Structure formats: structure tokens, C-alpha cells
């Protein structure tokens, strides 16, 4: 599908959303679905999710906007794995385990920077941006070493439309086209690679699936977000589309019909944020909400125990701030988005965790109107089953 066809499709979605608002309806699945409460608490389930999902599938770990220049790097932790992402002088992005081949210390401190090489602070072994071992301190006294066999351990990595994906298994592979099935073209249409990275915030909450479930439906907007989200977006009014295990969720605004009535029908697909909004879900753990002034990208990682998650909230905007006053205004917006996400969503998630661990109910139930949650859990179960010949879930 080319860009014009994609815009046309978004226009059709706008028309569907107008119907939802006018008729007080929403997208409906064919059935209700139950999920065992233990899946949010059980250590064996948690361990299997990390091994079969988080360490095998492509994870969105960085943005082009975070490291746009040759020599830029990002060092981070992802589900307990130390990761180093680099940009070489020719623009190539690579990823490695941030582990020195001498004695296992990190070669870069966590965070961002720019440098031509990485030097381990333990014994000063030095590695290039391509991961090759280029220097051994006092090599004459150390002894013979085949440098070509002692580089950093490389991870599968690919950059696409402003997003950088990494597979945490050094022996794994990465196939973004097969995995996302055209969905990443959405980010190309947004010119996401040219956006400005503002900053990030880290919050902590309940089991990662409890937190992620909250990003997948608008059924709770009126009851949980009466003063923040509900004034803009009606509750329990959403549309779902699946792209492999990922999905796009469409949310109309209350005034969608009025906002689009004077816009030519062919341009309805260009009115994101001005009549309707999208939440773009990248399976297994990323939620992207594009707003006019600022965009929030949430990366959810399982925490150190089944009942915990670590969420990195990243914030970007289309253009860099013109001055310090504008930069300060953006940081204030970052803090507002962070506070709403934590105080309104993650706090109740912690209460849900206690409820599930109490054993009050053996299972949870997702309604026909919560098709996005069902779809997410169906795909998670599909990967956990480990049978590639089994039929894939369909939206």
C-alpha cells in the first residue's frame, strides 16, 4: 500500500469513528475472553515470557532522534541485558551486549554520548564503534590475543523510519518486514526519523501485562480519567486493526463530526489529532501516542519480579525547541504526561496486582469491546506455545 492509499484508509477509519460517536457504539469482537489471574503473578510464566518473547522478538529500544549523528551511542538495560547501540561514521546503527570480552565489565556507562571508541574502565581494553577490539592495555605483558575473536558480542539490529530495533539473542535474527507487515510505514508517513528527542522518564508499576492492558482500551476513560482524557475522547469508543501481533487503535474525539465537516473528504486521513487520535502498539511492549505538541512512547519491561515492571516514557516532538523558554515548556508537558500516566494508570495497576495475588478470582475477563486486549493476549499465548505451525490470531 502506497502513501496515498494509506491516507485514504485513514479517511475510511475517520468515517467509521464518526459512526461510533453518533451511534454510541464501538468495535466489537466475537466473544468474551478469560485470562488466568496467575498469568500476572506466576514466576514460571514470567520467566517464560522473558525467554520466549522479550529475548527472541525485535524490541524497539531507541530512536533515530536519540542518536542521529556519527559517533552517537545509547547504553541501556533491557530485561536485565546490558545493551550498547552505536552509530558508525557511515551512519550504520549496530547493537552489542555492553560487556567487555576481557573480564565482563561494561564498556560504556548507561545513557547517551558521542565518542570514536569505547574503553572499559576496569582494565582499559578499547573497542571501536563497530564492536571490534582495537586496543589492549600493556599487551606485551598480557600475552597473545587474537583481537578478531574478542570483539563485543553483536546483537541483531535494524533501523527503520526513525525507530531502532534490537533482538536480545546474539544468535537470533531480525525481520521487520515479516514481523510488522507494513505497519512501520505509518512512522515513515509521520517523518518520524526527523523528529526531536526531548527526554525520558522512568516509572515503576505492577506486572508488565497489567500495565500494558491499560494502553489497549478506552473502556476506562470516563471512570479513571474524567478530567484528563475523557474531556477530549469518549469512553468505550475505539477501533482496532492488527498488523501481525502489533495493532493500531483509533480513538475519535467527542467533536469529530464537527471538526471534519468542513474538511474535504479526501483529506480526512490527514487529520490525526484534529478529530481523532491513534495509539500505535508495537508488540510486545511499546505504546506510541502522537499528540500535536508532544508524543509519548512507552517502553514496558518486566521488572525484577513477576509483580513489577519498569516503564521508560520517552518524549519527542516534530521540531526542536526554538529557545530555552520553549524547551522548558516542553519539559513541563513531559512531567504532566508522566504524572498522568503514573498517578491515574500505574497506581490502580498496583492495586490490581494486590487483588490478583489475593486469589479472589481465578481469572479475569475481557469483553467483546476490549478486542485489543484479547488480541494482545492471543498473540502472547501464540508465542508462548512455541508452535509456528499453529494458526496465527486474527483481528
Amino acid at each position: 500500500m502506497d502513501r496515498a492509499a494509506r491516507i485514504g484508509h485513514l479517511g475510511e477509519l475517520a468515517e467509521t469513528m464518526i459512526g461510533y460517536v453518533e451511534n454510541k457504539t464501538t468495535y466489537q469482537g466475537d466473544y468474551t475472553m478469560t485470562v488466568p489471574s496467575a498469568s500476572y503473578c506466576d514466576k514460571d510464566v514470567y520467566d517464560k515470557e522473558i525467554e520466549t518473547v522479550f529475548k527472541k522478538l525485535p524490541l524497539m529500544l531507541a530512536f533515530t532522534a536519540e542518536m542521529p549523528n556519527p559517533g552517537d551511542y545509547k547504553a541501556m538495560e533491557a530485561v536485565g541485558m546490558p545493551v550498547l547501540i552505536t552509530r558508525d561514521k557511515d551512519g550504520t546503527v549496530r547493537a552489542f551486549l555492553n560487556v567487555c570480552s576481557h573480564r565482563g565489565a561494561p564498556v560504556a556507562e548507561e545513557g547517551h554520548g558521542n565518542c570514536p571508541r569505547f574503553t572499559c574502565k576496569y582494565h582499559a581494553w578499547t573497542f571501536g564503534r563497530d564492536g571490534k577490539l582495537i586496543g589492549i592495555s600493556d599487551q606485551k605483558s598480557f600475552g597473545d590475543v587474537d583481537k578478531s575473536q574478542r570483539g563485543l558480542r553483536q546483537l541483531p539490529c535494524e533501523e527503520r523510519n526513525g525507530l531502532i530495533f534490537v533482538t536480545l539473542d546474539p544468535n537470533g535474527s531480525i525481520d521487520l518486514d515479516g514481523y510488522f507487515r507494513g505497519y512501520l510505514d505509518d512512522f515513515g508517513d509521520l517523518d518520524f526519523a526527523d523528529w526531536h528527542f526531548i527526554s525520558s522518564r522512568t516509572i515503576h508499576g505492577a506486572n508488565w501485562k497489567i500495565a500494558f492492558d491499560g494502553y489497549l482500551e478506552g473502556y476506562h476513560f470516563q471512570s479513571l480519567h474524567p478530567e484528563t482524557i475523557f474531556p477530549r475522547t469518549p469512553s468505550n469508543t475505539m477501533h482496532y486493526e492488527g498488523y501481525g501481533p502489533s495493532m493500531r487503535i483509533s480513538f475519535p474525539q467527542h467533536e469529530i463530526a464537527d471538526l471534519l465537516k468542513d474538511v474535504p473528504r479526501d483529506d480526512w486521513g490527514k487529520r490525526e489529532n484534529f478529530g481523532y487520535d491513534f495509539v500505535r502498539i508495537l508488540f510486545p511492549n511499546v505504546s506510541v501516542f502522537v499528540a500535536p505538541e508532544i508524543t509519548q512512547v512507552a517502553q514496558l519491561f518486566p521488572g525484577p519480579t513477576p509483580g513489577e515492571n519498569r516503564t521508560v516514557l520517552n518524549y519527542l516532538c516534530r521540531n526542536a525547541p526554538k529557545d530555552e523558554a520553549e524547551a522548558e515548556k516542553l519539559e513541563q508537558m513531559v512531567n504532566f504526561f508522566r504524572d498522568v500516566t503514573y498517578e491515574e494508570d500505574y497506581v490502580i495497576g498496583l492495586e490490581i496486582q494486590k487483588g490478583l495475588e489475593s486469589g479472589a478470582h481465578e481469572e479475569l475477563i475481557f469483553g467483546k469491546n476490549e478486542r485489543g486486549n484479547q488480541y494482545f493476549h492471543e498473540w502472547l499465548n501464540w508465542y508462548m506455545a512455541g508452535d509456528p505451525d499453529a494458526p496465527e490470531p486474527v483481528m
Side-chain angles (χ1 to χ4, degrees), residues 50-67:
I50 291 177
E51 293 303 319
T52 63
V53 176
F54 281 89
K55 290 188 178 179
K56 298 298 182 183
L57 300 180
L59 303 179
M60 198 289 292
L61 294 187
F63 307 93
T64 300
E66 283 183 279
M67 40 185 302

Side-chain angles (χ1 to χ4, degrees), residues 47-59 78-81 155-156 166-173 284 302:
D47 289 341
K48 190 172 182 180
E49 287 169 349
I50 291 177
E51 293 303 319
T52 63
V53 176
F54 281 89
K55 290 188 178 179
K56 298 298 182 183
L57 300 180
L59 303 179
V79 289
M81 302 284 281
L155 298 171
V166 178
T167 301
L168 296 179
D169 179 0
N171 298 313
S173 60

